Amino acid sequence: MSGLRARQKADRHRRIIEAAAALFRDAGYEGAKIETIAAQAEVSVGTIYNYYQNKGDILGAIVSMEVNEVLNAGRGVVANPPANVGDALDTLLGIYIEHSLHYLSKEMWRQAMAISTQLPDSPFGQAYTALDRALTEQIRALIARLQAIGLVRRDIDGQALGELVFNNMNMMFIEFVKRDEARIAELRAAIRRQNRILVAAIGV
């Protein structure tokens, strides 16, 4: 019975997240109501509050789902990267960027960034920071892998380089999210252009 209850709980959780993501996109974060999310997820309002305290917590769960999916996809790149530093970085960062609007709209990202900035010590803020660190760590792991197979100089500080690559990508992503007219292809091209400088400096 415990296995059945766990599956039922996971199914309810999935329905709530999917309904909320769709409603946040259609009605906007501020316009979305918990009651409507519950109706679309076919659960009671009380069930939603059993999982989440407020809409911000639901948004945080969507962000977590988004980032965890790209982290899972990125593990394959780290384990078996392209045999070119620029291509390896572009492939990994491309996974992050291309998936970024799968569950979240730009308006949702703006809201998530605002909450994490305004309430950095809240559960949402701490979780958001932890996700950023996980992405940074994966980039660092890719650099370590490239060093191990002789594509990146071993004297390079991989931790600092991982932070640099992530921080630059993150800042460019923030600018991308600010402008509704900005396109993913433009963002990827800009990141690729800036990373060429790094690739030239760190390659063997």
Side-chain angles (χ1 to χ4, degrees), residues 156-197:
I156 294 292
D157 182 339
Q159 181 68 43
L161 182 58
E163 292 167 358
L164 180 64
V165 170
F166 173 78
N167 289 340
N168 186 59
M169 176 194 69
N170 195 42
M171 181 55 65
M172 296 177 78
F173 181 70
I174 291 170
E175 291 301 315
F176 164 77
V177 165
K178 286 180 182 178
R179 297 185 297 114
D180 285 332
E181 71 277 10
R183 297 290 174 259
I184 282 179
E186 298 167 355
L187 174 61
R188 288 202 63 189
I191 293 172
R192 198 177 291 128
R193 177 178 58 82
Q194 293 193 7
N195 279 346
R196 286 196 194 104
I197 299 170

Coordinates of all heavy atoms in Angstrom, one line a residue, residues 156-197:
I156 N 45.1 25.3 -15.2 CA 44.0 26.2 -15.1 C 43.2 25.8 -13.8 O 43.0 24.7 -13.5 CB 43.0 26.0 -16.3 CG1 43.7 26.5 -17.6 CG2 41.7 26.7 -16.1 CD1 43.9 28.0 -17.7
D157 N 42.8 26.9 -13.1 CA 41.9 26.7 -11.9 C 40.5 26.3 -12.4 O 39.7 27.2 -12.7 CB 41.9 28.0 -11.1 CG 41.1 27.8 -9.8 OD1 40.2 27.0 -9.7 OD2 41.3 28.7 -8.9
G158 N 40.2 25.1 -12.4 CA 38.9 24.6 -12.9 C 37.7 25.2 -12.1 O 36.7 25.4 -12.7
Q159 N 37.8 25.3 -10.8 CA 36.8 25.8 -10.0 C 36.5 27.3 -10.4 O 35.3 27.7 -10.7 CB 37.1 25.8 -8.5 CG 36.0 26.3 -7.6 CD 34.8 25.4 -7.6 OE1 34.9 24.2 -7.6 NE2 33.6 26.0 -7.6
A160 N 37.5 28.1 -10.5 CA 37.3 29.5 -10.9 C 36.8 29.6 -12.3 O 35.9 30.5 -12.6 CB 38.7 30.2 -10.8
L161 N 37.3 28.7 -13.2 CA 36.8 28.8 -14.6 C 35.3 28.4 -14.7 O 34.6 29.0 -15.4 CB 37.7 27.9 -15.5 CG 37.3 27.9 -17.0 CD1 37.4 29.2 -17.6 CD2 38.2 26.9 -17.7
G162 N 34.9 27.4 -13.9 CA 33.5 27.0 -13.9 C 32.6 28.1 -13.4 O 31.6 28.4 -14.0
E163 N 33.1 28.8 -12.4 CA 32.3 29.9 -11.9 C 32.2 31.1 -12.9 O 31.2 31.7 -13.1 CB 33.0 30.4 -10.6 CG 32.9 29.4 -9.4 CD 33.8 29.8 -8.2 OE1 34.5 30.8 -8.4 OE2 33.7 29.1 -7.2
L164 N 33.4 31.3 -13.6 CA 33.4 32.4 -14.6 C 32.4 32.1 -15.7 O 31.7 32.9 -16.1 CB 34.8 32.5 -15.1 CG 35.1 33.6 -16.2 CD1 34.8 35.0 -15.6 CD2 36.5 33.5 -16.7
V165 N 32.5 30.8 -16.2 CA 31.6 30.5 -17.3 C 30.1 30.6 -16.9 O 29.3 31.1 -17.7 CB 31.9 29.0 -17.8 CG1 30.9 28.6 -18.8 CG2 33.3 29.0 -18.5
F166 N 29.8 30.0 -15.7 CA 28.4 30.1 -15.3 C 28.0 31.5 -15.1 O 26.9 31.9 -15.5 CB 28.2 29.3 -14.0 CG 26.8 29.5 -13.4 CD1 25.7 28.8 -14.0 CD2 26.6 30.4 -12.4 CE1 24.4 29.1 -13.5 CE2 25.3 30.6 -12.0 CZ 24.2 29.9 -12.5
N167 N 28.8 32.3 -14.3 CA 28.4 33.7 -14.0 C 28.2 34.5 -15.3 O 27.2 35.3 -15.4 CB 29.4 34.4 -13.1 CG 29.5 33.8 -11.7 OD1 28.5 33.2 -11.3 ND2 30.6 34.0 -11.0
N168 N 29.0 34.3 -16.3 CA 28.8 35.1 -17.5 C 27.5 34.6 -18.2 O 26.7 35.5 -18.7 CB 30.0 34.8 -18.4 CG 30.0 35.7 -19.7 OD1 29.9 36.9 -19.6 ND2 30.0 35.1 -20.9
M169 N 27.3 33.3 -18.3 CA 26.1 32.8 -19.0 C 24.9 33.3 -18.2 O 23.9 33.7 -18.8 CB 26.1 31.3 -19.0 CG 24.8 30.6 -19.5 SD 24.7 28.9 -19.2 CE 24.4 28.9 -17.4
N170 N 24.9 33.2 -16.9 CA 23.8 33.6 -16.0 C 23.4 35.1 -16.2 O 22.3 35.5 -16.4 CB 24.1 33.3 -14.6 CG 22.9 33.4 -13.7 OD1 21.8 32.9 -14.1 ND2 23.0 34.0 -12.5
M171 N 24.5 36.0 -16.3 CA 24.2 37.4 -16.5 C 23.6 37.6 -17.9 O 22.6 38.4 -18.0 CB 25.5 38.2 -16.4 CG 25.3 39.7 -16.6 SD 24.1 40.4 -15.4 CE 24.9 40.1 -13.8
M172 N 24.1 36.9 -18.9 CA 23.5 37.1 -20.2 C 22.1 36.5 -20.3 O 21.2 37.0 -21.0 CB 24.4 36.4 -21.2 CG 25.8 37.0 -21.3 SD 26.9 36.2 -22.5 CE 26.2 36.8 -24.0
F173 N 21.8 35.5 -19.5 CA 20.5 34.9 -19.4 C 19.5 35.9 -18.8 O 18.4 36.0 -19.2 CB 20.5 33.6 -18.7 CG 19.1 32.9 -18.6 CD1 18.5 32.4 -19.8 CD2 18.4 32.8 -17.4 CE1 17.3 31.8 -19.7 CE2 17.2 32.3 -17.3 CZ 16.6 31.7 -18.5
I174 N 20.0 36.6 -17.7 CA 19.1 37.6 -17.1 C 18.8 38.7 -18.0 O 17.6 39.1 -18.1 CB 19.9 38.2 -15.8 CG1 20.0 37.1 -14.7 CG2 19.2 39.4 -15.3 CD1 20.9 37.5 -13.6
E175 N 19.7 39.1 -18.8 CA 19.4 40.1 -19.8 C 18.5 39.6 -20.9 O 17.6 40.4 -21.3 CB 20.8 40.6 -20.5 CG 21.7 41.4 -19.6 CD 21.0 42.6 -19.0 OE1 20.4 43.4 -19.8 OE2 21.1 42.9 -17.8
F176 N 18.6 38.4 -21.2 CA 17.7 37.7 -22.2 C 16.3 37.7 -21.7 O 15.3 38.0 -22.4 CB 18.2 36.3 -22.5 CG 17.2 35.4 -23.1 CD1 17.0 35.5 -24.5 CD2 16.6 34.4 -22.4 CE1 16.1 34.6 -25.1 CE2 15.7 33.5 -23.0 CZ 15.4 33.6 -24.3
V177 N 16.1 37.4 -20.4 CA 14.8 37.2 -19.8 C 14.2 38.6 -19.6 O 12.9 38.7 -19.7 CB 15.0 36.6 -18.4 CG1 13.7 36.7 -17.5 CG2 15.3 35.1 -18.6
K178 N 14.9 39.7 -19.5 CA 14.4 41.0 -19.4 C 13.6 41.5 -20.6 O 12.7 42.2 -20.5 CB 15.5 42.0 -19.1 CG 16.1 42.0 -17.7 CD 17.2 43.0 -17.6 CE 17.9 43.0 -16.2 NZ 19.0 44.0 -16.2
R179 N 14.1 41.0 -21.8 CA 13.5 41.5 -23.0 C 12.7 40.4 -23.7 O 13.2 39.4 -24.1 CB 14.6 41.9 -24.0 CG 15.5 43.1 -23.4 CD 16.5 43.6 -24.4 NE 17.5 42.6 -24.7 CZ 17.7 42.0 -25.9 NH1 16.9 42.4 -26.9 NH2 18.6 41.1 -26.1
D180 N 11.4 40.7 -23.8 CA 10.5 39.7 -24.4 C 10.9 39.4 -25.9 O 10.6 38.3 -26.4 CB 9.0 40.2 -24.4 CG 8.5 40.0 -23.0 OD1 8.9 39.2 -22.2 OD2 7.6 40.8 -22.6
E181 N 11.5 40.4 -26.6 CA 11.8 40.2 -28.0 C 13.1 39.4 -28.2 O 13.3 38.9 -29.3 CB 11.9 41.5 -28.7 CG 13.1 42.4 -28.4 CD 12.9 43.2 -27.1 OE1 11.9 43.0 -26.4 OE2 13.8 44.0 -26.8
A182 N 13.9 39.2 -27.2 CA 15.1 38.5 -27.3 C 14.9 37.0 -27.6 O 14.0 36.4 -27.1 CB 16.0 38.6 -26.0
R183 N 15.7 36.4 -28.5 CA 15.6 35.1 -28.9 C 16.7 34.2 -28.5 O 17.8 34.6 -28.3 CB 15.5 35.0 -30.5 CG 14.3 35.8 -31.1 CD 13.0 35.0 -30.7 NE 11.8 35.8 -31.1 CZ 11.0 36.5 -30.3 NH1 11.4 36.6 -29.0 NH2 10.0 37.1 -30.8
I184 N 16.4 32.9 -28.3 CA 17.3 31.9 -27.8 C 18.5 31.8 -28.7 O 19.7 31.8 -28.2 CB 16.7 30.6 -27.5 CG1 15.9 30.6 -26.2 CG2 17.7 29.4 -27.5 CD1 15.2 29.3 -25.9
A185 N 18.3 31.8 -30.0 CA 19.4 31.7 -30.9 C 20.4 32.9 -30.8 O 21.6 32.7 -30.9 CB 18.9 31.7 -32.4
E186 N 19.9 34.1 -30.5 CA 20.7 35.3 -30.3 C 21.6 35.1 -29.0 O 22.8 35.4 -29.0 CB 19.9 36.5 -30.2 CG 19.1 36.8 -31.5 CD 18.1 37.9 -31.3 OE1 17.9 38.3 -30.1 OE2 17.4 38.3 -32.2
L187 N 20.9 34.6 -28.0 CA 21.6 34.4 -26.7 C 22.7 33.4 -26.9 O 23.8 33.6 -26.4 CB 20.6 33.9 -25.6 CG 21.2 33.5 -24.3 CD1 21.9 34.7 -23.6 CD2 20.1 33.0 -23.4
R188 N 22.4 32.2 -27.5 CA 23.5 31.2 -27.7 C 24.6 31.8 -28.5 O 25.8 31.5 -28.2 CB 22.9 30.0 -28.4 CG 21.9 29.2 -27.4 CD 21.8 27.8 -27.9 NE 23.0 27.1 -27.9 CZ 23.2 25.9 -28.4 NH1 22.3 25.2 -29.0 NH2 24.4 25.3 -28.3
A189 N 24.3 32.5 -29.5 CA 25.4 33.1 -30.4 C 26.3 34.0 -29.6 O 27.5 34.1 -29.7 CB 24.8 33.8 -31.6
A190 N 25.7 34.8 -28.7 CA 26.4 35.8 -27.9 C 27.3 35.1 -26.9 O 28.5 35.4 -26.6 CB 25.5 36.7 -27.1
I191 N 26.8 34.0 -26.2 CA 27.5 33.2 -25.3 C 28.7 32.5 -26.0 O 29.9 32.5 -25.5 CB 26.7 32.2 -24.6 CG1 25.6 32.9 -23.7 CG2 27.5 31.2 -23.8 CD1 24.6 31.9 -23.1
R192 N 28.4 32.0 -27.2 CA 29.5 31.3 -27.9 C 30.6 32.3 -28.3 O 31.8 32.0 -28.2 CB 28.8 30.7 -29.2 CG 29.6 29.6 -29.9 CD 28.8 29.1 -31.1 NE 27.6 28.4 -30.6 CZ 26.4 28.6 -31.1 NH1 26.1 29.6 -31.9 NH2 25.4 27.9 -30.6
R193 N 30.2 33.5 -28.7 CA 31.2 34.5 -29.1 C 32.1 34.9 -27.9 O 33.3 34.9 -28.1 CB 30.5 35.7 -29.6 CG 31.4 36.9 -30.0 CD 30.6 38.1 -30.6 NE 29.6 38.6 -29.6 CZ 29.9 39.4 -28.6 NH1 31.1 39.8 -28.4 NH2 28.9 39.8 -27.8
Q194 N 31.5 35.1 -26.8 CA 32.3 35.4 -25.6 C 33.2 34.3 -25.1 O 34.3 34.5 -24.7 CB 31.4 36.0 -24.5 CG 30.8 37.3 -24.8 CD 30.1 38.0 -23.7 OE1 30.3 37.5 -22.5 NE2 29.4 39.0 -23.9
N195 N 32.7 33.0 -25.2 CA 33.4 31.9 -24.7 C 34.6 31.6 -25.6 O 35.5 30.9 -25.2 CB 32.5 30.7 -24.6 CG 31.7 30.7 -23.3 OD1 32.0 31.4 -22.4 ND2 30.7 29.9 -23.3
R196 N 34.6 32.1 -26.9 CA 35.8 31.8 -27.7 C 37.0 32.4 -27.1 O 38.1 31.8 -27.3 CB 35.5 32.5 -29.1 CG 34.5 31.7 -30.0 CD 34.6 32.2 -31.5 NE 33.5 31.7 -32.2 CZ 32.4 32.5 -32.6 NH1 32.5 33.8 -32.3 NH2 31.4 32.0 -33.2
I197 N 36.9 33.5 -26.4 CA 38.1 34.1 -25.8 C 38.6 33.2 -24.7 O 39.8 33.0 -24.6 CB 37.7 35.5 -25.2 CG1 37.2 36.4 -26.3 CG2 38.9 36.1 -24.4 CD1 36.6 37.7 -25.7

